[in-house]
Amino acid sequence: MLRSLSNAQFQLLPPEILDNIFKYLSFRDKWRICSVSNSWRFIMLHWGNMFKQLSTDEYKKGDLSSILLPYKPYINDTTVKYIQINVQQSEDLMSTINFLVDNKCNQITKVNVTTTHWKKYNFLRMTTHCGKMLTELSLTFNCGDDGQYRPSPDLILRHCPKLRSLFYAGPIHCIRQWNPSFPTHFKHDHLQDLGLYVHNSNGTFEAKNILSVTPYIQRLRLGLQSIENTSPLLFLETLQQFCPKLVTLAIQHKYGSAIVIDPDLLGVEQKNYTNFGLENFVFHDPFDKYSNAQLLVQSLIGKYHQSLRAMYINCTYMRHDQDGFSGTDQLDSFILPSLRHLSLLGRINSFHRSSNSNVLHPLSCLITNSTTNLQQLDLTYLEGNIELGPFASQANQIQKIHLTHCNAIGSHQLASLFGNLASKKKLQLTHIILRCMQHVSSEVLFSIASIAQRHRLKEVIIDHCDNVTIEGMELFLNNIPTYSNGESKINKINASLIYQSSGSQVFPEKDKIQQVLHKLDARVLEWKLSLTSYTDFSVHLESYNCLQYRKEKKDSTKLESNTLFPTCN
């Protein structure tokens, strides 16, 4: 229908309608539409946002200038706002930049470049042309320290005065001779988001040199290389002196490390500056690259314990030794009243060799002391006996509990955790996730069912927990009320059961599986159930879900009805 419309009819469409249609199209899609007909071409080329976003990701060829050349008359100073360039050859980057500059595209506000290097004169040509308009700049140099030139962070800040977000990952050119230089009394008044991952630092680059001129930083992401030769106390002093408005601090061993955390935690937030203090802290050092991790984490928590709202720690520094828990001895003294999200990940050995069995491990104390407003608790790969009962008794705001590979947490502790939560008159818990937990017994499942009896859960995930069997799932479901009037005590269940050839459990018969599926469908709105059998030579998987089950049930009922009451022609 649209193709049959004339140019005049197209022009009658309100601009907001065209925006709503075309905003979902990539530039490549828009380019293809231009070749459909003259009327489509006319509309697309005269639509104000046709060239607003340009990206090489949509083309095998990295040089955008050759692709844009036929449309040169339609590209001017106001058409291009965002460019994303991912190329291996710096010549492709330079030709694209030269094309945009030659066409006077001086209103570009966002640039994202991934390449090996960027020649200085070409970078300066771009920033001279549109540097005063740039608000977001991301540079990723995917190469080693090969001696090629790359613009340094201080050069970028000097030439982009309105930059709000700067991300730099890669080596700095001639870093041993490089010394960040700024004009006297220079301050960058707009930068709020700064990410620095200097691969070839080798202790020669200190974040202080950049932070001293960026007083309005709200989110700071640093590679461990940037602080490896800086003492934790000096680094903390730097933050206090130069980053008074800091909201989020993320320290990783390198850019691209997997961080399993709510994306909102790493966002730049609008903050009321009447109360200063760090709110989000991420420390990701799974391979022990930073020797002072213990002191750094403890110093930051100690300084900002009143303001911290989310904390993610992934490291292995909290090991047990002959003297006890050298990395966690001070954690039991911290109370974090504002904490909403706590995530501890890493092979943290927490066996407590205390003669007093009533003394909790420091991590247990940290978790318990932080429960006043805690909404989400994630524990992964914690090797040790961490008592969760006291936590449950005080967790009035908890909404999500996620435990993964915490095999030293016994069934009694898990049952105590969920049993104490079930006994609460008011409970906000909505999500329970148990992955690869060895001690999820029938007692634990019963305590989870007790929560469902008194409260309402949105989701329960039981994934590859060794001791959970089809019989255990059946007993679990027997203690959950059936839903009526479209209401269920548990909205969603996702269970993955495993059977090992070396184990005592036998893969269930079809009739038993069907019984459990029937009970699942009578109690849960949305569900999935998978059973996997591992033998020495093969893997057998059976998977079921609510949509498939209900369709087969409906088809079976219809077939029976047709058999009993055949249609007469």
Side-chain angles (χ1 to χ4, degrees):
M1 181 182 71
L2 289 175
R3 188 172 182 176
S4 64
L5 295 177
S6 64
N7 289 348
Q9 289 173 314
F10 266 121
Q11 292 172 349
L12 293 177
L13 290 175
E16 58 271 16
I17 299 298
L18 292 176
D19 283 339
N20 285 331
I21 295 173
F22 295 149
K23 70 181 181 181
Y24 297 104
L25 303 177
S26 65
F27 179 71
R28 192 173 188 180
D29 293 332
K30 299 169 192 172
W31 175 61
R32 288 175 174 175
I33 288 175
C34 288
S35 61
V36 171
S37 67
N38 288 334
S39 58
W40 281 73
R41 179 181 177 84
F42 179 86
I43 288 297
M44 290 304 302
L45 292 181
H46 289 83
W47 177 51
N49 293 328
M50 170 66 179
F51 302 98
K52 182 178 180 180
Q53 298 185 17
L54 305 178
S55 174
T56 58
D57 290 349
E58 301 169 14
Y59 300 93
K60 293 182 179 179
K61 189 174 182 180
D63 181 9
L64 276 178
S65 61
S66 60
I67 299 169
L68 297 173
L69 190 59
Y71 307 100
K72 186 175 181 179
Y74 302 95
I75 300 175
N76 53 50
D77 58 340
T78 62
T79 51
V80 182
K81 301 293 185 182
Y82 167 52
I83 57 173
Q84 180 174 344
I85 303 175
N86 187 345
V87 294
Q88 292 298 319
Q89 301 295 328
S90 63
E91 289 75 13
D92 292 336
L93 170 63
M94 290 188 290
S95 60
T96 300
I97 296 299
N98 288 335
F99 177 86
L100 295 174
V101 172
D102 291 341
N103 281 271
K104 300 181 180 179
C105 299
N106 57 6
Q107 300 296 311
I108 300 173
T109 60
K110 184 177 179 181
V111 174
N112 188 327
V113 173
T114 301
T115 186
T116 55
H117 61 281
W118 194 349
K119 292 187 177 180
K120 184 175 182 179
Y121 76 87
N122 188 255
F123 171 78
L124 292 178
R125 188 168 191 231
M126 185 200 74
T127 54
T128 301
H129 193 67
C130 62
K132 293 183 179 181
M133 298 300 298
L134 276 180
T135 59
E136 295 183 39
L137 178 60
S138 175
L139 300 181
T140 302
F141 299 106
N142 49 8
C143 59
D145 190 3
D146 54 5
Q148 297 285 350
Y149 181 83
R150 300 166 189 90
S152 58
D154 58 325
L155 180 69
I156 295 169
L157 293 177
R158 293 200 306 269
H159 286 81
C160 305
K162 294 185 178 180
L163 210 59
R164 292 200 302 265
S165 176
L166 170 61
F167 179 85
Y168 185 102
I172 289 180
H173 175 64
C174 295
I175 190 169
R176 295 191 179 279
Q177 290 78 38
W178 174 65
N179 185 25
S181 59
F182 297 99
T184 306
H185 305 302
F186 175 86
K187 296 292 180 184
H188 200 290
D189 295 331
H190 292 85
L191 194 67
Q192 298 177 357
D193 180 12
L194 175 62
L196 291 175
Y197 297 86
V198 182
H199 298 169
N200 62 338
S201 173
N202 297 323
T204 59
F205 168 69
E206 292 186 4
K208 177 182 178 180
N209 297 330
I210 301 297
L211 297 179
S212 60
V213 298
T214 55
Y216 296 98
I217 290 292
Q218 293 185 36
R219 178 173 72 164
L220 177 61
R221 294 167 289 168
L222 292 175
L224 282 171
Q225 300 94 329
S226 300
I227 64 169
E228 60 184 349
N229 284 355
T230 304
S231 71
L233 296 181
L234 182 59
F235 177 68
L236 182 60
E237 182 182 332
T238 298
L239 294 181
Q240 293 178 261
Q241 181 179 0
F242 299 117
C243 305
K245 303 181 185 299
L246 190 64
V247 176
T248 297
L249 173 64
I251 301 175
Q252 298 173 252
H253 75 287
K254 66 176 181 178
Y255 169 63
S257 306
I259 288 189
V260 184
I261 200 164
D262 187 347
D264 292 339
L265 174 58
L266 294 180
V268 175
E269 305 176 17
Q270 295 300 319
K271 183 183 173 78
N272 184 349
Y273 295 116
T274 55
N275 294 315
F276 296 153
L278 186 70
E279 293 186 1
N280 307 312
F281 175 44
V282 177
F283 185 79
H284 189 257
D285 183 22
F287 304 113
D288 286 339
K289 297 294 184 181
Y290 185 55
S291 58
N292 291 320
Q294 169 188 335
L295 183 57
L296 176 63
V297 171
Q298 290 186 352
S299 300
L300 281 165
I301 296 176
K303 174 61 182 177
Y304 297 108
H305 65 277
Q306 290 290 339
S307 60
L308 278 172
R309 295 171 59 88
M311 187 166 65
Y312 174 97
I313 300 177
N314 179 358
C315 62
T316 63
Y317 77 90
M318 292 181 275
R319 291 186 290 267
H320 181 272
D321 55 33
Q322 294 179 352
D323 299 325
F325 296 90
S326 59
T328 60
D329 284 341
Q330 298 180 24
L331 294 182
D332 58 352
S333 63
F334 296 135
I335 298 176
L336 292 80
S338 303
L339 200 66
R340 300 291 191 274
H341 181 173
L342 175 61
S343 181
L344 302 175
L345 188 150
R347 295 192 175 276
I348 303 172
N349 192 330
S350 58
F351 289 104
H352 198 290
R353 297 183 181 180
S354 172
S355 58
N356 184 356
S357 60
N358 295 322
V359 177
L360 292 177
H361 182 276
L363 282 179
S364 300
C365 295
L366 175 67
I367 295 171
T368 302
N369 293 340
S370 307
T371 57
T372 306
N373 294 297
L374 195 66
Q375 297 175 357
Q376 181 170 339
L377 175 66
D378 298 337
L379 303 178
T380 303
Y381 279 117
L382 296 191
E383 298 178 345
N385 188 359
I386 296 180
E387 182 61 61
L388 296 177
F391 157 76
S393 63
Q394 300 183 41
N396 297 319
Q397 305 293 326
I398 193 69
Q399 297 177 11
K400 184 176 180 180
I401 296 177
H402 187 172
L403 306 178
T404 302
H405 281 290
C406 296
N407 294 327
I409 300 179
S411 59
H412 175 72
Q413 293 171 319
L414 291 173
S416 175
L417 166 66
F418 296 117
N420 287 348
L421 291 174
S423 64
K424 291 180 175 294
K425 292 182 178 180
K426 293 184 179 180
L427 183 66
Q428 300 184 30
L429 184 65
T430 58
H431 293 76
I432 297 175
I433 302 174
L434 304 175
R435 298 187 189 276
C436 303
M437 299 285 289
Q438 290 183 355
H439 303 295
V440 182
S441 61
S442 298
E443 182 186 8
V444 176
L445 294 177
F446 177 80
S447 62
I448 296 176
S450 299
I451 296 177
Q453 290 174 0
R454 298 176 175 85
H455 310 279
R456 181 169 296 169
L457 294 170
K458 290 184 179 180
E459 184 177 33
V460 174
I461 296 178
I462 302 172
D463 182 22
H464 282 68
C465 298
D466 290 348
N467 292 323
V468 179
T469 63
I470 196 75
E471 291 79 14
M473 286 298 301
E474 186 174 24
L475 292 173
F476 168 64
L477 294 170
N478 287 340
N479 289 282
I480 298 175
T482 57
Y483 71 86
S484 58
N485 300 324
E487 294 186 357
S488 171
K489 288 294 186 178
I490 301 180
N491 289 348
K492 183 178 180 180
I493 288 181
N494 191 340
S496 299
L497 313 184
I498 58 173
Y499 292 85
Q500 304 282 358
S501 60
S502 58
S504 59
Q505 303 294 338
V506 180
F507 197 85
E509 300 290 338
K510 286 288 186 182
D511 290 344
K512 173 60 72 174
I513 296 176
Q514 289 301 318
Q515 290 177 14
V516 173
L517 295 182
H518 175 75
K519 293 181 179 181
L520 259 176
D521 204 54
R523 292 162 172 79
V524 184
L525 293 177
E526 183 181 347
W527 54 266
K528 291 181 181 180
L529 176 65
S530 66
L531 301 95
T532 307
S533 175
Y534 295 94
T535 65
D536 294 336
F537 304 103
S538 64
V539 176
H540 174 68
L541 172 65
E542 293 186 16
S543 182
Y544 307 89
N545 63 73
C546 57
L547 297 178
Q548 174 194 16
Y549 178 82
R550 290 165 187 166
K551 182 179 183 303
E552 292 176 354
K553 186 177 179 180
K554 182 178 180 180
D555 293 343
S556 176
T557 303
K558 184 177 180 180
L559 180 61
E560 291 178 3
S561 176
N562 290 339
T563 303
L564 293 175
F565 305 101
T567 303
C568 298
N569 294 326

